[in-house]
Amino acid sequence: SQTIHQWPATLVQPVGSPLSLECTVEGTSNPNLYWYRQAAGRGLQLLFYSVGIGQISSEVPQNLSASRPQDRQFILSSKKLLLSDSGFYLCAWSNGAGGQETQYFGPGTRLLVL
Amino acid sequence: SQQGEEDPQALSIQEGENATMNCSYKTSINNLQWYRQNSGRGLVHLILIRSNEREKHSGRLRVTLDTSKKSSSLLITASRAADTASYFCATVLYSGGGADGLTFGKGTHLIIQP
């Protein structure tokens, strides 16, 4: 069976500090991978998606970046965090034609920037 | 921009009653998905209904889709306390990159009173 992991679960970081959130998927190969952000009281916003190693597409311009160094690893990064980066970050994967099928979400990372 | 909008934003009912949530979207779709999110956790896929389907069942869940009105509804019958969660509808955000992300509404927060 497939599983998706995210860490850390919770993170408190000062403004201007760097960020690295990691997501890994087990039990499947060549998945489509996604990063979403959920701000308080709002829906999910797609940040990045990837169809393969080294292939990253961005949906929203921001000070965040994503990388996919391995087939089942997806990393969300920032060089300098802003207060507005606070939120709940969710990683997801899917097979097949991307969003045409079910997406499976990880447990999320709650980020608080102070 | 958000594609789906859930209604109502919040719903509180007694255990055993039925809960109905609605979703409206703006553009044509291939499918529409419903997800559940328990407080502070990742999203769980509930059901996917394709554009050529009008109704779909899964256990106590019943989803309808009216493409002429660009709307969908989620019915939870015989609600239980464990159904307390936020419910989101999601449609594909066309990205043209072969791994389309999903666009979500702000969700309906459902509270089941014991």
Side-chain angles (χ1 to χ4, degrees), chain A residues 33-84:
Chain A
L33 295 172
Y34 309 85
W35 278 112
Y36 292 87
R37 177 171 60 201
Q38 185 177 32
R42 304 184 69 176
L44 280 74
Q45 180 184 39
L46 177 66
L47 300 176
F48 300 95
Y49 66 92
S50 171
V51 298
I53 296 174
Q55 300 180 62
I56 309 294
S57 296
S58 173
E59 283 299 311
V60 181
Q62 59 222 320
N63 70 319
L64 300 172
S65 62
S67 62
R68 185 169 177 175
Q70 299 181 45
D71 181 45
R72 288 168 287 180
Q73 184 184 32
F74 206 21
I75 297 173
L76 183 69
S77 304
S78 174
K79 293 182 178 178
K80 288 186 178 181
L81 284 169
L82 306 173
L83 286 174
S84 58

Side-chain angles (χ1 to χ4, degrees), chain B residues 43-57:
Chain B
L43 275 72
V44 175
H45 179 261
L46 295 176
I47 199 163
L48 181 154
I49 185 166
R50 302 191 186 280
S51 60
N52 61 353
E53 297 176 307
R54 292 295 167 259
E55 187 171 310
K56 200 163 184 179
H57 297 256

Side-chain angles (χ1 to χ4, degrees), chain B residues 22-42:
Chain B
N22 302 297
C23 168
S24 59
Y25 58 92
K26 298 176 182 176
T27 63
S28 60
I29 59 171
N30 289 323
N31 68 59
L32 185 143
Q33 304 180 36
W34 283 92
Y35 288 80
R36 183 186 73 219
Q37 183 181 34
N38 289 86
S39 179
R41 309 186 79 168

Side-chain angles (χ1 to χ4, degrees), chain B residues 61-75:
Chain B
L61 306 180
R62 172 178 167 253
V63 168
T64 63
L65 179 64
D66 187 335
T67 54
S68 66
K69 296 181 179 179
K70 291 186 170 58
S71 67
S72 174
S73 68
L74 170 66
L75 168 67

